[in-house]
């Protein structure tokens, strides 16, 4: 593709448009957590789904909120485990990282997400790690390539306590790049608040993936996300102060 130059006669208009544009508001900073503690009175991080009106073209009725509401933030800070820079693992690490970054780009088109170098500044941490085996209701163990683990925390950032979701996303190394990317797209969806599964294999958040890895967010994924981010949330808001001497861990 060739670059076309802008005709000279357009320059004044472009300058005017530039002057008239509103100043971009600065994105919130990702501050290092000074301390964190479990939010009080949380027995389980997720509760039962809510009913949806008939005719909705999304899967909101399959999402589970926390006891304190929907686990979503207006702005996310995310850390991804870096790849080894040399040695025998470097090539595989880099392939894993490239697949994670491709999946992350899909979510960054829809949500404000800042990638940070300090894990303590992040609410979402993506680790190159095989998830531990999970035991299902019948007692059988089940292996998976990805898992997202949610905690509901109060976090001290910059001296004030804020209610936050904290999500560890474990993505196995050693899968094919497309499979890693599809796994990451799905698990990041949980991390950003889609705590539930769609019943359609064409959705990134499908409970049972289809034969082809889903590498793009479907219209239903987007509709569900749009609905979720219109819901009120206490996350990201100040947490009530605890008495002095209460337990807190870094
Ligand atoms: Zn899932």
């Amino acid at each position: 593709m060739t670059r076309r130059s802008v005709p000279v006669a357009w320059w004044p208009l472009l300058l005017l448009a530039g002057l008239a544009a509103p100043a971009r508001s600065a994105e919130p900073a990702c501050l290092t957590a000074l301390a964190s503690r479990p939010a009080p009175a949380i027995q389980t991080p997720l509760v039962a789904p809510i009913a949806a009106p008939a005719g909705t073209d999304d899967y909101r009725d399959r999402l589970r909120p926390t006891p304190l509401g929907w686990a979503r933030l207006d702005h996310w800070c995310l850390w991804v485990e870096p790849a080894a820079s040399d040695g025998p693992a470097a090539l595989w690490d880099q392939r894993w990282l490239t697949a994670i970054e491709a999946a992350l780009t899909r979510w960054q088109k829809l949500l404000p997400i800042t990638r940070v170098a300090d894990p303590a500044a992040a609410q979402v941490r993506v680790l190159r790690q095989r998830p531990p085996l999970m035991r299902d209701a019948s007692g059988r163990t089940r292996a998976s390539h990805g898992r997202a683990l949610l905690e509901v925390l109060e976090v001290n950032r910059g001296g004030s306590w804020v209610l936050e979701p904290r999500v560890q996303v474990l993505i196995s190394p050693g899968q094919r790049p497309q499979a890693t990317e599809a796994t990451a797209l799905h698990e990041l969806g949980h991390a950003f608040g889609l705590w539930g599964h769609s019943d359609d294999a064409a959705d990134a958040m499908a409970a049972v993936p289809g034969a082809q890895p889903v590498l793009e967010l479907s219209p239903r994924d987007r509709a569900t996300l749009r609905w979720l981010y219109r819901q009120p949330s206490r996350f990201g808001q100040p947490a009530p102060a605890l008495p002095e001497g209460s337990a807190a861990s870094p």
Side-chain angles (χ1 to χ4, degrees), residues 111-132:
L111 297 173
I113 303 164
T114 302
R115 181 125 165 235
V116 294
D118 173 12
Q123 296 96 18
V124 177
R125 301 171 186 177
V126 185
L127 296 159
R128 190 173 52 252
Q129 197 174 305
R130 183 178 293 281

Side-chain angles (χ1 to χ4, degrees), residues 178-250:
Q178 281 206 336
T180 304
E181 189 178 329
T183 305
L185 190 69
H186 177 101
E187 299 302 334
L188 285 172
H190 290 317
F192 298 132
L194 297 173
W195 291 103
H197 286 123
S198 144
D199 52 351
D200 185 339
D203 296 332
M205 300 309 292
V208 183
Q212 291 296 318
V214 176
L215 304 179
E216 296 284 346
L217 298 169
S218 70
R220 272 163 49 90
D221 290 320
R222 290 161 183 267
T224 310
L225 195 77
R226 272 198 302 276
W227 173 84
L228 177 68
Y229 277 76
R230 284 199 301 263
Q231 305 314 302
S233 176
R234 287 168 62 184
F235 288 90
Q237 306 294 320
L242 279 188
E244 282 295 313
S246 300
S249 64

Side-chain angles (χ1 to χ4, degrees), residues 48-50 60 62-66 68-73 165 193 195 227-228 231-235:
I50 49 126
R60 70 181 76 168
R62 293 171 159 263
L63 300 184
R64 296 170 63 194
T66 77
L68 298 176
W70 299 102
R72 65 144 187 90
L73 292 171
W195 291 103
W227 173 84
L228 177 68
Q231 305 314 302
S233 176
R234 287 168 62 184
F235 288 90

